[in-house]
Each structure stands twice: as structure tokens, then as C-alpha cells.
Amino acid sequence: MNRRLYLKSCFAMGVSSIAFGNLYPRNLLAGTLNNDSQEDRQLRFSIALKNPSNMELHDQFLWIYIPATSSKQHLKNLNASIDFDLETDILNQNIMKFEFPKIGPLSTKIINVTAQIGMIREGKTESVEKSVWLQAEHLIESNNLQIKLLALQLKQDTDANTCRGIYQWASEHISYAGYIADDLGALYALNQQRGDCTEYACLAAALARANGIPARMVGGYVSDKDFV
């Protein structure tokens, strides 16, 4: 992900460029629709699940995040080419769960998904208990002395200007390392001055929290129109 987009997010999903077949809807979101949408936006994506071995695989599962419902957007409908269950994580974010009783040797399962999003005309700011996003936690080591000292250097006259300073500092001092499979966190990014989008976001959140500014990481894709 381009490092200058590391704080922006809308949707979390795995994407590959695969032609779409017919989609069979499972409207598990009945009762969540509203009429306060300025426009609808459609997102389509495909995921290829491959078995690279010469052995048949049994009881395989795949979980993927789907576009969230928030103060600015509303998940209106969700379709997939195969059956799925809808689950939530500890932050109440929606996840599609796919189950594959068996996947043949050297074969590929393709899943096509379409999500319809209503962009809310006048969304209200979400009310969150600030203390939740001020505490140090795994990978966001805002109570570390090095991070606190840097946060103090970056503190400005307003929270907004402090956030701009944090963003600018991270953009200029952290080298983009390409995709890293493991999440390494804010302290790693500060000490090594390198990382991928996760390390940029961890460090930005940690520096904000160390300055008393509630901050959290959000991962995903940004789209201002229909998107495949």
C-alpha cells in the first residue's frame, strides 16, 4: 500500500483480477436498510483459494472482512457465488465465513462477491469512549519512552496540527519496506525506521495516543466510485 494512504481506509478485502460469474444472493442483512443514502456504490471482488499440493484438502475455511457499516456508509446488500455465514469480530466488524468440505489436488476455488454500499447523506460522528483509543497495547506502544519523547517533539498548538506533524514525520523518516507478512509495530518502525503500511499506522497511532489524542488503526481500500 502506498505509504501516503496508510491512514485512509474504507474496506478490507482480498482482491484478485478474476472474471465474474453469476452471483447468488444471501440477504443476511435484512432489517439493516435505511433510506438516508445519497447514493449507492457497488464493490465487486474475487478471491482465488488454491491447493498447491497433490493431496486432497478437507474442511478448509476462509474468513474475509466486508465493507463496514459506519456513520458515513451503510452495507445494504451482500451477495456471493457460494454459500457463506456472516460473523463478527470483537470490534463488531462483519466477516464472511466460507467453508470448503474438500478441495481437490492442484485445484482452485474461486469466490465472487458483490457488496452494495449506501453512502449516508449526513452521517454523524461516531461516539466512542476516548479512553479505549488512548491506552498502550500490543504493537501500539504509546507508553514507551522513545515514543513519548518523539511525541513530545511533534506536539503542536492543536490536535489537528499535531496529527499533521505526526503524518509528515512518518512520511519523511520511515522507509517503505514493501509488504511484510508479520505485524511488527510502532516501536519497531521507530527503531528501524522502516516497515510496511501496518508499521506506519502503528507508529502514527502510538504517537497520537502519547499526545493524548484518541487514535486507532483501520485497514482497507479507498474507493470514491464503483470498484472492482
Side-chain angles (χ1 to χ4, degrees):
M1 183 181 290
N2 186 304
R3 68 183 183 181
R4 293 195 176 274
L5 293 179
Y6 73 99
L7 289 180
K8 298 180 180 179
S9 63
C10 286
F11 327 111
M13 60 185 68
V15 179
S16 59
S17 298
I18 301 172
F20 280 81
N22 294 325
L23 294 179
Y24 302 96
R26 284 195 60 198
N27 188 2
L28 300 183
L29 306 173
T32 65
L33 307 186
N34 66 39
N35 297 318
D36 192 25
S37 295
Q38 183 177 5
E39 62 176 333
D40 283 353
R41 191 166 299 162
Q42 187 178 83
L43 305 177
R44 298 188 299 152
F45 60 98
S46 291
I47 294 177
L49 187 65
K50 299 180 180 179
N51 176 9
S53 73
N54 58 3
M55 299 177 59
E56 186 173 79
L57 299 178
H58 297 273
D59 300 323
Q60 300 297 300
F61 296 90
L62 174 67
W63 292 264
I64 61 172
Y65 281 102
I66 57 176
T69 291
S70 71
S71 61
K72 300 297 183 182
Q73 65 183 41
H74 188 83
L75 181 58
K76 298 180 68 174
N77 202 10
L78 185 65
N79 302 325
S81 56
I82 66 173
D83 201 19
F84 64 91
D85 292 321
L86 198 63
E87 300 183 349
T88 56
D89 67 6
I90 59 173
L91 295 177
N92 206 35
Q93 298 176 117
N94 290 322
I95 304 172
M96 298 176 78
K97 177 185 176 183
F98 298 93
E99 181 177 357
F100 303 89
K102 63 180 180 179
I103 302 178
L106 305 175
S107 65
T108 300
K109 298 286 187 180
I110 296 176
I111 305 168
N112 301 316
V113 178
T114 295
Q116 184 182 7
I117 311 298
M119 307 310 295
I120 298 175
R121 191 184 307 275
E122 294 181 359
K124 298 180 180 179
T125 301
E126 296 178 58
S127 177
V128 178
E129 177 56 47
K130 290 184 177 181
S131 62
V132 174
W133 310 119
L134 282 171
Q135 301 171 10
E137 60 180 287
H138 179 57
L139 301 179
I140 304 179
E141 304 98 334
S142 54
N143 58 353
N144 176 270
L145 181 59
Q146 294 172 259
I147 290 177
K148 291 170 72 172
L149 287 174
L150 177 58
L152 185 62
Q153 295 174 30
L154 297 174
K155 187 174 180 64
Q156 300 187 35
D157 56 338
T158 67
D159 287 350
N161 285 335
T162 298
C163 289
R164 291 187 184 97
I166 290 170
Y167 179 91
Q168 190 69 27
W169 190 95
S171 297
E172 293 176 354
H173 290 82
I174 307 300
S175 298
Y176 184 63
Y179 171 73
I180 300 174
D182 296 324
D183 294 336
L184 301 173
L187 189 58
Y188 172 92
L190 180 58
N191 287 334
Q192 302 299 321
Q193 297 204 358
R194 68 188 300 272
D196 67 6
C197 55
T198 303
E199 281 65 60
Y200 280 92
C202 285
L203 181 56
L207 290 169
R209 292 184 187 187
N211 273 314
I213 302 171
R216 61 173 174 166
M217 288 178 56
V218 184
Y221 291 88
V222 177
S223 173
D224 59 359
K225 56 188 176 182
D226 290 354
F227 185 70
V228 176

